[in-house]
């Protein structure tokens, strides 16, 4: 797998303050407006709210989800980044719906989650940090919707022998260059959905 020197740049650019989330005793999360603690709900199908106590949920702090009773996770579609070490070792997790606007999946997310069988990576994702989807014993397929992102080392490693990555038909060669050599890469039957990122230069 190739290492990309641009990874640090993208991570720094996109992981600016990613959480403004208020949580009080009646909510399912510990923490304050500036610092969300861990999930303390009842598990099961968890839908991350768009706002809590009048404050918009813009992202997640580290180590939010460690509850093995969580079976599914659904994010607000506008969420652009998931910070590192946020979602891992969830033994009961079987389904995840990543946000449509997701651009950065930081390191150490969705590792050691044996119940996940398939995941769709939205088209805007341009960085997948190291150890994401590492040693997920039940993972059978990942479907990419957009152009090849930066994929850091140890992503999609130690997976079942029959694991398959489905990628846009016009991006097969690009994906094969960045994914581990032992992964089967197949066309998804669709072309890449290309997103024009706003020009942030002054």
């Amino acid at each position: 797998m190739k290492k990309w020197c641009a990874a640090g740049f993208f991570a720094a650019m996109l992981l600016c303050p990613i959480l403004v989330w208020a949580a009080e005793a009646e909510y399912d999360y510990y923490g304050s407006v500036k610092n969300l603690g861990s999930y303390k709900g009842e598990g099961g199908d968890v839908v991350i709210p768009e706002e809590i106590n009048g404050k918009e949920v813009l992202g997640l702090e580290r180590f939010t989800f460690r509850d093995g009773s969580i079976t599914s996770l659904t994010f607000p579609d506008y969420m652009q980044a998931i910070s590192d070490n946020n979602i891992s070792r969830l033994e009961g997790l079987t389904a995840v719906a990543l946000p449509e606007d997701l651009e950065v999946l930081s390191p150490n997310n969705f590792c050691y989650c044996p119940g996940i069988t398939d995941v769709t990576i939205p088209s805007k994702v341009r960085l997948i940090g190291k150890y994401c989807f590492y040693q997920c014993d039940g993972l059978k397929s990942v479907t990419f919707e957009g152009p090849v992102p930066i994929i850091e080392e140890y992503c999609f490693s130690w997976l079942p022998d029959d694991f398959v990555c489905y990628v846009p038909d016009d991006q097969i060669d690009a994906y094969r260059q960045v994914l581990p050599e032992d992964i089967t890469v197949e066309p998804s039957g669709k072309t890449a959905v290309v997103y024009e990122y706003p020009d942030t230069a002054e």
Side-chain angles (χ1 to χ4, degrees), residues 92-202:
L93 185 66
T94 59
V96 58
L98 293 175
E100 291 183 7
D101 288 342
L102 185 67
E103 296 184 19
V104 171
L105 183 60
S106 295
N108 302 302
N109 279 300
F110 301 105
C111 48
Y112 305 106
C113 294
I116 299 175
T117 58
D118 59 272
V119 176
T120 296
I121 306 295
S123 61
K124 296 180 183 180
V125 171
R126 45 179 165 168
L127 172 65
I128 302 177
K130 59 185 179 181
Y131 287 105
C132 287
F133 302 103
Y134 175 87
Q135 201 166 336
C136 293
D137 296 339
L139 191 60
K140 300 298 183 183
S141 68
V142 168
T143 300
F144 289 86
E145 295 184 327
V148 60
I150 293 171
I151 299 176
E152 295 186 332
E153 57 187 352
Y154 306 117
C155 292
F156 307 107
S157 298
W158 288 83
L159 300 178
D161 293 338
D162 57 350
F163 171 76
V164 178
C165 273
Y166 294 100
V167 306
D169 297 11
D170 55 340
Q171 296 281 318
I172 291 179
D173 290 341
Y175 273 95
R176 283 177 174 160
Q177 290 180 27
V178 300
L179 288 167
E181 294 182 356
D182 58 343
I183 285 181
T184 301
V185 179
E186 298 287 351
S188 65
K190 299 179 180 179
T191 56
V193 177
V194 179
Y195 174 70
E196 295 294 333
Y197 296 95
D199 185 1
T200 57
E202 295 183 0

Side-chain angles (χ1 to χ4, degrees), residues 35-109:
N35 182 25
L36 175 69
S38 60
Y39 173 79
K40 64 182 180 66
E42 297 180 356
D45 298 329
V46 175
V47 177
I48 298 167
E50 295 187 4
E51 67 174 44
I52 293 180
N53 198 27
K55 301 293 184 179
E56 185 179 25
V57 176
L58 298 180
L60 303 172
E61 285 289 356
R62 300 177 69 192
F63 307 115
T64 301
F65 296 106
R66 287 293 187 275
D67 188 338
S69 67
I70 295 172
T71 55
S72 71
L73 281 172
T74 301
F75 297 80
D77 281 337
Y78 60 78
M79 193 174 289
Q80 295 182 323
I82 297 176
S83 55
D84 63 306
N85 286 291
N86 206 306
I87 303 161
S88 64
R89 300 184 184 276
L90 299 183
E91 295 84 358
L93 185 66
T94 59
V96 58
L98 293 175
E100 291 183 7
D101 288 342
L102 185 67
E103 296 184 19
V104 171
L105 183 60
S106 295
N108 302 302
N109 279 300

